[in-house]
Amino acid sequence: DAKTTQPPSMDCAEGRAANLPCNHSTISGNEYVYWYRQIHSQGPQYIIHGLKNNETNEMASLIITEDRKSSTLILPHATLRDTAVYYCIVKSSSNTGKLIFGQGTTLQVK
Amino acid sequence: DTEVTQTPKHLVMGMTNKKSLKCEQHMGHRAMYWYKQKAKKPPELMFVYSYEKLSINESVPSRFSPECPNSSLLNLHLHALQPEDSALYLCASSQEPGASNQPQHFGDGTRLSIL
């Protein structure tokens, strides 16, 4: 399973875009990049996932580099409610469905 | 709002007690998962059920006993737990077991305290 590296913490001003980076240099060709977030005292919330192309939904955008070795989650207009721990996960390509969480990035919106 | 419902939200039990955690989903998902999350740590996988059969046990001690009575329900039976088992226990489900392009959806967990 590919490992991910994220900065432990980031700050963002309310109303500005939050750009959360993730490195996954050992990702395999058929492994997806997933982003989840966990607000205090709640379960992880699915945000978005992608394979090669950039993806956008109502919550966020996911930008994956052409070599797939890194990605960026973009929250276009961060609010105080976006304060959370954000996890970037490369999902196992084996037939197990396992999610292996790293330490994540604590995003503080001020 | 979560479509995976876990009960109870909080549980305090002694080391000699027997209790069960319950998880329910009505999304027609065929894979269900138990995770354990210690304070200030990321979730760690415990068990995976695929089509109501146990497919992964991540070397979890036998004092934790999972059960999948039907495709919508997942239980975690607890017996003779230790204080270090105090944690947030999370349930998740996904549409098809092992499918890389399908997300897991989590409940809000049961916060367990062992006295």
Side-chain angles (χ1 to χ4, degrees):
Chain A
D1 300 323
K3 285 190 67 175
T4 62
T5 304
Q6 299 177 253
S9 63
M10 293 181 64
D11 290 340
C12 179
E14 191 175 21
R16 304 297 294 269
N19 296 280
L20 292 93
C22 179
N23 287 321
H24 32 78
S25 58
T26 61
I27 193 170
S28 300
N30 57 353
E31 290 181 320
Y32 282 75
V33 178
Y34 279 76
W35 284 84
Y36 284 78
R37 73 181 183 184
Q38 190 170 22
I39 296 169
H40 184 62
S41 298
Q42 296 181 19
Q45 178 188 23
Y46 164 73
I47 301 173
I48 199 167
H49 72 283
L51 182 64
K52 297 179 183 178
N53 301 320
N54 299 338
E55 302 288 344
T56 295
N57 63 21
E58 65 278 4
M59 289 183 68
S61 294
L62 173 60
I63 309 298
I64 302 175
T65 57
E66 194 169 341
D67 63 8
R68 302 206 333 118
K69 292 185 177 182
S70 65
S71 60
T72 301
L73 179 75
I74 301 173
L75 308 177
H77 304 286
T79 71
L80 297 178
R81 288 179 296 178
D82 293 320
T83 293
V85 178
Y86 287 77
Y87 295 102
C88 168
I89 303 167
V90 172
K91 193 171 183 185
S92 170
S93 57
S94 61
N95 190 25
T96 65
K98 290 173 64 171
L99 284 180
I100 300 175
F101 287 79
Q103 296 303 311
T105 296
T106 299
L107 175 68
Q108 183 72 49
V109 181
K110 300 179 178 178
Chain B
D1 290 343
T2 178
E3 296 177 76
V4 176
T5 304
Q6 291 188 243
T7 55
K9 293 191 185 305
H10 302 275
L11 179 62
V12 179
M13 58 186 286
M15 289 189 284
T16 58
N17 293 154
K18 287 185 181 181
K19 296 285 185 184
S20 296
L21 309 185
K22 181 179 174 181
C23 173
E24 196 165 2
Q25 58 87 14
H26 294 288
M27 296 179 281
H29 288 176
R30 303 313 302 271
M32 297 186 77
Y33 311 81
W34 280 115
Y35 290 80
K36 174 181 178 179
Q37 185 174 25
K38 300 282 283 182
K40 300 188 186 303
K41 297 290 187 183
E44 294 181 341
L45 183 68
M46 300 174 72
F47 302 104
V48 180
Y49 271 82
S50 299
Y51 297 101
E52 300 158 48
K53 295 194 184 307
L54 183 65
S55 60
I56 294 178
N57 176 341
E58 292 285 289
S59 302
V60 179
S62 59
R63 57 186 183 268
F64 295 91
S65 176
E67 178 198 21
C68 190
N70 60 56
S71 59
S72 300
L73 278 176
L74 187 66
N75 298 320
L76 186 62
H77 303 298
L78 314 172
H79 174 54
L81 295 195
Q82 304 297 309
E84 60 265 27
D85 296 323
S86 297
L88 181 68
Y89 288 85
L90 294 160
C91 174
S93 69
S94 64
Q95 192 168 356
E96 286 292 332
S100 295
N101 65 342
Q102 292 173 4
Q104 292 180 23
H105 297 273
F106 285 79
D108 282 335
T110 294
R111 190 161 299 280
L112 178 65
S113 297
I114 307 299
L115 300 179

